[in-house]
Amino acid sequence: MIPFNKPFLIGKELAYIREAVLSGKISGDGPFTRKCHTFFEKTLGFQKVFLTTSCTDALEMAAILCDINPGDEVIVPAFTFVSTANAFMLRKATIVFADSSPLHPNLDHTTLPDLITSRTKVVVPVHYAGMACDMEPMLREAEKHQLYVVEDAAQSMDAQYRGRALGSLGHFGAFSFHETKNIISGEGGLLAVNAPDLIRRAEIIWEKGTNRSAFFRGETRKYEWMDIGSSFLPSEITAAFLFAQLEQLDTIQNCRRKIWQSYHDELRDLSASGAFELPHVPEYATHNASMFYLVCKNKTARDGLIEYLKQFEIYAMFHYLPLHKSPFYRQQSPRIISLPNAERFSDCLVRLPFYFGLTEEEQQMVIQKIHGFFQQKTRV
Ligand SMILES: *Cc1c(COP(=O)(O)O)cnc(C)c1O
């Protein structure tokens, strides 16, 4: 059996959890949280980060920091996970869905001028598969209209746009350490705050609306309710697990890049013969091998491939059902809109098994069966 995903231990996760538990401090913002923060700030170069319990939480923090008022418009790609839109919906924003590029699932920045109105406040680029959106034109457009840019970098740890880390380019970057991502802690996330004037407020929102962090630094004599906020910080148990993974970031990434490259090299012939498209890697993007997907010619071929692989206990997956067609959004906004590129990726995209520790034999089996499926198709 070859599962789609498999959570993994890389080294010291259990030892660090034990250390955290035995230290007598297992709530949040302790030594392991600080080690993780230091890693992101000193080793990876983010200006200011906050560990959160999920990327969903990081997006919700960002939405609070963008100061959304009811009716403010937020531009989100339709081809994304629910949380990208839901975080802003919770603040009573009006969600405006953007289509994907024809070449890849990311938000097509050329559609922005038509989507931006006087009420637009935020644009949320999602770097699908850790493949950068074209950030320069997007940031230029956002600046022209004074919009916040919140990067949904859930899948983008260790990926770059023209050499700059994804998640560091907009006002905010939200990352995920859910067990399906490159670096994991079960559930977990991170908010990178790249706008210096928003750091102070971010810290208060992170700590349930209190100035508890400033109090522990000795900057105030008591801590009080200062703002809205929530319990966004993870426990030390989560941070301990995460830190063990971060220490092995290069090992994890080398393994994943090898898997990505093998899929790419060994499926190129089939792609060239027109069976499907391989992931498009724009010249400005250095991806992080966060997943490997194929784009089949139509939904029938895609569903057929998933079913075929399942017979051999190989589990491939489709991805997002486009949010503009979701029951919740349709109820909010009954007007039917058509976003053909997002709909095509939703119908035709299939993700292949991909996880740290996927063996060469397992991967060869997946590749061989994909060849088998398309050979069988040309014979009939
Ligand atoms: C995984 C993912 C999320 C949600 O991350 P959680 O940590 O599970 O909250 C949000 N957006 C995208 C694009 C994702 O891939």
Side-chain angles (χ1 to χ4, degrees):
M1 199 268 270
I2 304 179
F4 170 66
N5 179 58
K6 206 193 255 181
F8 63 100
L9 295 177
I10 183 86
K12 298 193 181 149
E13 288 90 343
L14 300 179
Y16 285 169
I17 286 175
R18 191 182 152 79
E19 192 181 322
V21 172
L22 294 179
S23 79
K25 157 94 185 157
I26 51 171
S27 59
D29 201 15
F32 279 107
T33 298
R34 281 192 283 276
K35 279 179 197 219
C36 292
H37 284 179
T38 302
F39 183 89
F40 290 112
E41 290 168 6
K42 297 288 181 316
T43 310
L44 299 186
F46 288 94
Q47 194 173 144
K48 181 70 191 168
V49 300
F50 297 91
L51 280 195
T52 57
T53 53
S54 63
C55 179
T56 301
D57 262 2
L59 290 164
E60 287 174 21
M61 266 185 81
I64 295 174
L65 285 158
C66 290
D67 243 332
I68 305 287
N69 295 306
D72 285 346
E73 293 174 2
V74 176
I75 300 174
V76 173
F79 188 80
T80 186
F81 187 62
V82 173
S83 299
T84 319
N86 188 69
F88 295 92
M89 199 65 124
L90 277 171
R91 314 242 55 85
K92 306 256 183 289
T94 299
I95 304 297
V96 176
F97 285 116
D99 203 0
S100 301
S101 153
L103 289 173
H104 51 73
N106 286 343
L107 194 160
D108 181 352
H109 68 83
T110 63
T111 65
L112 285 178
D114 284 339
L115 298 175
I116 293 172
T117 72
S118 59
R119 303 176 74 173
T120 308
K121 195 151 193 186
V122 186
V123 56
V124 193
V126 179
H127 307 293
Y128 185 74
M131 211 76 83
C133 294
D134 195 355
M135 290 305 287
E136 269 163 22
M138 199 153 352
L139 290 170
R140 230 180 291 129
E141 195 65 27
E143 188 162 20
K144 195 162 103 191
H145 299 274
Q146 297 190 307
L147 311 181
Y148 286 111
V149 177
V150 177
E151 295 177 74
D152 182 337
Q155 303 169 10
S156 307
M157 184 51 65
D158 196 36
Q160 288 91 32
Y161 173 79
R162 299 196 193 283
R164 297 167 65 195
L166 299 190
S168 74
L169 300 149
H171 295 80
F172 306 101
F175 292 93
S176 175
F177 308 117
H178 184 264
E179 69 170 30
T180 51
K181 317 295 188 199
N182 293 34
I183 304 293
I184 63 174
S185 62
E187 302 280 351
L190 182 82
L191 182 70
V193 181
N194 309 316
D197 53 326
L198 295 167
I199 291 171
R200 194 81 187 175
R201 187 166 184 229
E203 190 177 78
I204 288 169
I205 290 165
W206 186 61
E207 268 283 18
K208 306 154 193 93
T210 74
N211 55 352
R212 190 167 177 274
S213 301
F215 171 72
F216 279 118
R217 284 195 303 267
E219 293 166 19
T220 57
R221 291 190 36 240
K222 46 191 181 348
Y223 80 84
E224 300 175 284
W225 188 12
M226 306 295 286
D227 200 336
I228 59 168
S230 193
S231 184
F232 287 120
L233 66 174
S235 85
E236 280 288 287
I237 298 173
T238 300
F241 192 108
L242 180 65
F243 187 64
Q245 294 249 326
L246 291 175
E247 284 187 319
Q248 299 293 327
L249 177 64
D250 289 342
T251 312
I252 295 168
Q253 287 300 85
N254 289 338
C255 164
R256 296 188 74 103
R257 290 209 172 87
K258 239 175 87 189
I259 295 170
W260 197 97
Q261 203 57 48
S262 296
Y263 273 139
H264 181 269
D265 295 349
E266 300 193 38
L267 293 169
R268 197 159 31 191
D269 54 342
L270 266 182
S271 165
S273 73
F276 45 72
E277 295 162 36
L278 292 175
H280 174 78
V281 187
E283 40 76 38
Y284 50 75
T286 308
H287 71 84
N288 62 349
S290 107
M291 70 168 83
F292 198 91
Y293 67 81
L294 310 174
V295 184
C296 297
K297 280 185 169 158
N298 50 50
K299 189 170 186 305
T300 312
R302 192 274 309 269
D303 293 347
L305 177 58
I306 291 175
E307 279 309 310
Y308 180 84
L309 294 174
K310 206 180 275 174
Q311 292 170 34
F312 303 99
E313 297 195 290
I314 296 171
Y315 294 92
M317 296 273 278
F318 62 90
H319 219 176
Y320 310 125
L321 299 166
L323 297 182
H324 67 293
K325 291 181 142 185
S326 62
F328 181 64
Y329 185 74
R330 290 290 301 281
Q331 183 191 315
Q332 302 277 316
S333 175
R335 189 171 63 91
I336 292 174
I337 52 174
S338 156
L339 299 170
N341 298 324
E343 288 162 30
R344 180 172 80 95
F345 288 114
S346 182
D347 284 346
C348 303
L349 186 144
V350 52
R351 296 179 294 158
L352 304 182
F354 202 128
Y355 47 86
F356 180 85
L358 178 72
T359 66
E360 248 175 78
E361 293 76 38
E362 287 169 329
Q363 195 179 10
Q364 283 310 317
M365 180 66 82
V366 178
I367 290 165
Q368 189 197 323
K369 296 303 178 200
I370 293 172
H371 278 90
F373 174 75
F374 286 101
Q375 273 153 16
Q376 156 210 284
K377 276 186 61 111
T378 47
R379 257 186 269 121
V380 290

